[in-house]
Amino acid sequence: MQILSIHLQNIKSHRDTELDFSPGINVLSGPNGVGKSTIFEAIGYALFGVDAQTFVGNVERFITIGAKRGEISIVFQLADDERFRVSRTVGTPSKWLLAKEVSGDFEVEEHKDIKETEARLKELLGLDNGRSLAEQFELVIGPFQNEFLGPFVIKQSAKRRDKFDEILGIDSWRKTFSETNLLLKAIQNRIDVLEGAVGPLRDQVAALPEKRATQKSAKLDHDQTEGQLKQHQQMLTELEARLSAFDWREQAVKELAVDIDKLRERVGNGQEKIGSQKTLIAEAARARHIVTENSLGKQAYEQAEQRLAELREQLKAQRRLEQEVAALTVQVSTLAERHVAEAKAIEQIGLELDAEEQTLEGQRKALPVDESLQRLAAQLPAIRESLKALRGQLGQLDGRRTGLVEGSAKLAEGVCPFFQEPCLNIAEKPPGDVFSAKLSELAAERERLEAELALLEKEEGTAARASEQLKVTEVQLKGLNEQMSRLVAKRTTNVQRSTGLAELLKEQVSAQQKLKEQQKALRGYGHLQAQIEAAETEQKKHQVSRDLYVANQEHAAKLEGLQAELEKFEQLLAQLRGELAGKEADSAAVIKEYDAGQHRTLRAQKDALQQEIGALGQKVEGLKADIERLTGEIVRLKQIEQEIIEKQARIKAYGEKGELVKFLRNRVFRNVSSYLSERFREE
């Protein structure tokens, strides 16, 4: 591998430095502080991944003062002429990138992290020997001179050996020899712990034979008790079968007694129901007779009621006609009043508009327009421009006069106002003679301009007043024109109202015609009240018959239904009496077969047998729990036996490992470090 070039940006004293290296040995020379060591450190940082703090103690000191980030790029070539560029930044965040040259350009390889980048560099540099690149650089490739040459002159062999061990990376042999002593102690400690744990476990296993004998006895007792329990359960099953027959007969006697009581109650209720039904039938027959007698009166009442309803509808129509006639009367009167009032209003508005129009015409004629005022007002802009020019000229004259006055004062002192030095042109002459004529000319010119300015200001005032008078006249004319426009609009509105007056008259005639028609229709209801009174008299005449008919109609309609229900009730009563006789016969037969004393004896035997079965069941459960407990204890003791065997095997294995460590320490690790370091020093 050959380093071809290095480029440093913002690294210590190198703001932007690029160096190219030749094949073979390259020498960097220069005064102290020029940055020779920085080149060496930059190679360690970028190519070997050494931490910047290894060189400077503080990363910020590795960056040029005033800069925030630095970067180092190194191009190197392998034996097969492949070229690579490795670059690494200084600062946060730090990037470490490796690029391969392809067709003259460098393409960055994709690595998931810096560990993969370092592994790739190890592969390219041929330094994949288990140590990190940074460690190899610090120990072998790039140690400082005092750190590398110093061990050769150390007289003490032990210290010299330790230094060379660190440089060569073989100090691990000596460290291994020292640290394996701790390993031996740890192994012996493990053996002691295991042997200490085996003793208590053996004491627990000693109880295993006794536990097995107790378990066997408990199983035998459990089997005997379980046999007794099954025998008693068989006896209980047979007894329950016999008792079930007695229970059935007892239940049958009770059920038959209840059924007989219910049937007797139902028979009594049926007799009462039949009596009540016969009473209802008699009442329905009387109601049927009343309905038949009053049917004609009820029919006459309904006819009178229907006639009265028709007459009342006619009465409602009469009331509506009367309301319409009253409304039409009011409408006709209102329309007539509106027509008269509208005609008068239209006429009055027309007269008022004519008078207003004459007034406006008179006002328009009273507004004369003076042509001389118009001419004066037209000259106002030109006069103001002339005034502006004259005032500007006066300002210039004042400036010139001020300059002459200042020059006169300077010359009175004998100093040139421009060069600020003694003026030779007026030596031994009075300075006033130079400026007197010019100041007199300026005064005369100012007097002429002021006179002209006063005349123009007077003309401006006259023209301004003429302009104001013209504006007032224009405003008055504009107001008159607006009033005339409003007058025309009012006249148009009044004409439209005249058109509406004809429509109002037409509406009034239509309302009068409709009023006559409604009054004619109303006269057809003249005899309506007498007809209503006659119908009401006829209705009252048949009111009693109709009330009797309605009161008994519903009850009379139930007669056939009540008779059918009576027949059904009588059939049900006969059926109930037959069922009652059958139940009484069945009850007598069951009572004859049932023995209550024997039934009580069997129940007592069942209760006693159930108590014995319960006691045996509890005993079986207790024995079963004891057997399970003993089984669990025996299993646990067997596990302890197995644990003892495993611990003894581990004690044996640890003993073998201890012997192996002793062999390696005494035969291998003890002398390797000293031998290799002395060989290196000699060579």
Side-chain angles (χ1 to χ4, degrees):
M1 187 273 293
Q2 176 189 352
I3 297 177
L4 300 178
S5 66
I6 183 170
H7 185 201
L8 292 82
Q9 285 184 311
N10 296 327
I11 303 297
K12 287 191 175 180
S13 60
H14 297 279
R15 287 282 183 182
D16 189 359
T17 302
E18 185 169 3
L19 299 176
D20 294 325
F21 299 104
S22 302
I25 297 175
N26 291 260
V27 178
L28 300 177
S29 65
N32 291 338
V34 75
K36 302 186 298 299
S37 299
T38 304
I39 301 297
F40 190 69
E41 292 169 355
I43 294 173
Y45 180 81
L47 191 57
F48 292 87
V50 180
D51 193 342
Q53 291 181 344
T54 304
F55 305 122
V56 293
N58 188 343
V59 177
E60 295 179 355
R61 292 175 55 193
F62 203 57
I63 303 174
T64 302
I65 296 175
K68 294 183 178 179
R69 289 170 59 83
E71 184 175 1
I72 302 168
S73 297
I74 297 174
V75 178
F76 62 92
Q77 180 175 300
L78 303 181
D80 56 1
D81 294 335
E82 283 187 321
R83 291 192 178 190
F84 291 85
R85 183 185 67 198
V86 61
S87 60
R88 189 178 179 194
T89 58
V90 185
T92 305
S94 177
K95 292 184 179 180
W96 196 12
L97 303 177
L98 178 64
K100 182 178 181 181
E101 186 180 40
V102 179
S103 301
D105 294 328
F106 286 98
E107 296 182 358
V108 177
E109 296 183 358
E110 293 185 1
H111 300 153
K112 65 179 181 180
D113 51 27
I114 60 174
K115 291 183 179 179
E116 188 172 332
T117 303
E118 182 180 8
R120 175 65 170 150
L121 284 170
K122 283 183 178 181
E123 178 187 354
L124 295 174
L125 301 177
L127 297 175
D128 193 3
N129 55 13
R131 290 181 181 268
S132 67
L133 285 176
E135 187 177 1
Q136 294 183 68
F137 181 85
E138 294 171 12
L139 295 178
V140 179
I141 301 172
F144 296 109
Q145 292 179 359
N146 63 332
E147 294 179 356
F148 184 73
L149 298 177
F152 285 92
V153 297
I154 296 175
K155 295 181 179 181
Q156 294 85 355
S157 60
K159 292 183 179 180
R160 186 171 63 246
R161 179 202 62 196
D162 294 344
K163 287 293 182 180
F164 283 136
D165 285 353
E166 292 179 3
I167 294 173
L168 298 174
I170 59 175
D171 56 335
S172 58
W173 293 94
R174 178 170 45 81
K175 292 179 180 178
T176 303
F177 176 76
S178 300
E179 292 174 358
T180 49
N181 187 34
L182 298 176
L183 180 60
L184 275 176
K185 292 180 180 179
I187 291 173
Q188 186 59 44
N189 185 46
R190 290 287 182 89
I191 292 173
D192 294 342
V193 171
L194 289 171
E195 288 178 347
V198 168
L201 294 176
R202 284 173 177 166
D203 294 340
Q204 296 182 35
V205 172
L208 184 59
E210 182 182 354
K211 295 288 183 182
R212 286 173 174 168
T214 305
Q215 182 192 32
K216 185 176 180 181
S217 175
K219 285 184 177 179
L220 181 61
D221 193 7
H222 172 270
D223 294 341
Q224 292 176 355
T225 305
E226 194 172 27
Q228 294 178 2
L229 176 62
K230 291 180 179 178
Q231 184 179 2
H232 281 71
Q233 287 175 341
Q234 180 64 31
M235 293 171 61
L236 179 62
T237 302
E238 296 173 355
L239 182 61
E240 286 177 344
R242 293 177 58 196
L243 188 60
S244 176
F246 280 91
D247 290 340
W248 178 82
R249 291 189 183 92
E250 181 185 29
Q251 184 64 26
V253 169
K254 292 179 180 179
E255 289 177 354
L256 287 171
V258 171
D259 292 343
I260 290 170
D261 291 340
K262 289 181 179 179
L263 287 171
R264 286 174 179 171
E265 183 178 359
R266 290 178 65 187
V267 167
N269 292 336
Q271 291 174 349
E272 293 178 1
K273 187 69 174 177
I274 288 172
S276 300
Q277 192 73 5
K278 289 179 178 179
T279 302
L280 292 174
I281 290 172
E283 292 176 354
R286 287 195 297 274
R288 174 72 62 85
H289 179 70
I290 293 171
V291 167
T292 303
E293 287 182 345
N294 293 280
S295 60
L296 295 176
K298 181 253 184 185
Q299 187 176 6
Y301 176 87
E302 290 177 348
Q303 291 175 353
E305 187 177 28
Q306 183 178 1
R307 174 61 178 163
L308 187 59
E310 294 173 355
L311 292 173
R312 284 174 177 162
E313 288 296 325
Q314 293 180 12
L315 183 62
K316 291 179 182 179
Q318 181 184 3
R319 297 285 185 269
R320 287 195 295 271
L321 276 174
E322 290 174 351
Q323 292 174 358
E324 291 176 2
V325 167
L328 286 171
T329 303
V330 173
Q331 183 180 3
V332 169
S333 176
T334 302
L335 289 172
E337 292 175 357
R338 282 181 58 194
H339 184 271
V340 173
E342 188 72 9
K344 289 181 179 180
I346 291 170
E347 183 179 359
Q348 181 64 30
I349 289 171
L351 295 174
E352 292 175 356
L353 292 175
D354 292 340
E356 186 177 355
E357 185 175 3
Q358 291 176 2
T359 302
L360 291 175
E361 288 295 336
Q363 291 176 355
R364 184 188 294 275
K365 293 177 180 179
L367 288 175
V369 179
D370 192 345
E371 294 181 359
S372 61
L373 289 177
Q374 291 179 347
R375 286 193 298 272
L376 283 173
Q379 294 173 2
L380 182 61
I383 293 171
R384 286 177 175 170
E385 287 296 326
S386 300
L387 281 171
K388 183 177 180 182
L390 283 174
R391 290 188 180 109
Q393 291 177 14
L394 283 171
Q396 292 176 358
L397 287 175
D398 291 339
R400 289 170 60 189
R401 185 179 184 282
T402 301
L404 289 172
V405 171
E406 291 178 355
S408 175
K410 292 291 184 179
L411 290 175
E413 298 173 0
V415 179
C416 178
F418 299 102
F419 298 101
Q420 300 296 317
E421 60 186 12
C423 184
L424 301 178
N425 293 327
I426 61 171
E428 300 178 357
K429 295 180 181 180
D433 295 337
V434 180
F435 295 96
S436 298
K438 291 186 177 182
L439 289 172
S440 299
E441 291 176 2
L442 290 176
E445 181 67 17
R446 180 176 180 79
E447 186 177 355
R448 183 185 65 78
L449 290 175
E450 285 178 349
E452 188 175 350
L453 181 63
L455 181 61
L456 282 175
E457 286 177 349
K458 184 177 179 181
E459 292 178 357
E460 182 193 17
T462 304
R465 286 191 294 274
S467 178
E468 291 297 327
Q469 291 179 6
L470 286 176
K471 288 180 180 179
V472 172
T473 304
E474 289 176 358
V475 170
Q476 292 175 348
L477 285 172
K478 185 178 179 181
L480 290 173
N481 291 333
E482 290 177 356
Q483 292 180 22
M484 187 63 72
S485 298
R486 289 194 293 270
L487 181 64
V488 172
K490 290 179 181 179
R491 196 179 294 281
T492 302
T493 303
N494 201 35
V495 171
Q496 292 175 353
R497 288 182 67 179
S498 300
T499 305
L501 188 63
E503 294 294 330
L504 186 62
L505 180 60
K506 184 177 179 181
E507 185 179 355
Q508 178 184 355
V509 172
S510 175
Q512 288 176 344
Q513 180 65 30
K514 190 174 181 181
L515 176 60
K516 292 179 180 179
E517 294 175 357
Q518 296 288 21
Q519 288 174 343
K520 182 179 180 181
L522 186 61
R523 287 194 292 271
Y525 292 95
H527 303 288
L528 182 59
Q529 189 61 37
Q531 293 175 355
I532 290 173
E533 292 175 358
E536 289 176 347
T537 302
E538 181 68 17
Q539 187 182 33
K540 291 179 181 179
K541 178 180 178 182
H542 300 287
Q543 180 73 42
V544 177
S545 297
R546 182 258 184 189
D547 292 344
L548 288 172
Y549 184 93
V550 171
N552 292 277
Q553 182 180 14
E554 182 179 358
H555 202 50
K558 296 179 180 179
L559 180 60
E560 286 78 5
L562 292 171
Q563 290 174 345
E565 287 181 358
L566 177 61
E567 184 178 353
K568 184 172 66 173
F569 290 158
E570 290 175 345
Q571 292 176 357
L572 289 173
L573 181 60
Q575 183 179 353
L576 288 173
R577 285 173 176 168
E579 290 179 3
L580 177 60
K583 293 289 184 181
E584 288 174 345
D586 293 340
S587 177
V590 172
I591 290 172
K592 186 177 180 181
E593 295 176 357
Y594 175 66
D595 187 349
Q598 189 177 1
H599 193 189
R600 287 191 294 273
T601 301
L602 290 175
R603 283 179 176 170
Q605 292 176 359
K606 178 184 176 182
D607 293 339
L609 193 57
Q610 284 178 337
Q611 291 178 358
E612 293 179 3
I613 290 172
L616 290 172
Q618 291 179 356
K619 186 176 180 181
V620 168
E621 292 297 324
L623 291 170
K624 185 177 179 181
D626 290 340
I627 292 169
E628 291 177 353
R629 177 180 56 78
L630 291 168
T631 302
E633 292 176 355
I634 290 169
V635 170
R636 184 174 59 82
L637 291 174
K638 287 181 178 179
Q639 292 175 349
I640 293 174
E641 279 184 335
Q642 185 63 33
E643 186 177 352
I644 291 172
I645 295 171
E646 292 175 356
K647 288 184 182 296
Q648 289 174 342
R650 291 172 63 189
I651 290 171
K652 182 179 179 182
Y654 278 123
E656 294 173 353
K657 291 178 180 178
E659 293 298 324
L660 176 61
V661 172
K662 289 177 182 179
F663 173 79
L664 292 174
R665 291 185 77 248
N666 296 326
R667 300 293 181 87
V668 180
F669 301 138
R670 181 188 296 273
N671 298 319
V672 170
S673 175
S674 300
Y675 172 75
L676 290 177
S677 62
E678 287 302 316
R679 282 288 303 276
F680 176 76
R681 180 173 176 274
E682 291 172 1
E683 291 178 4

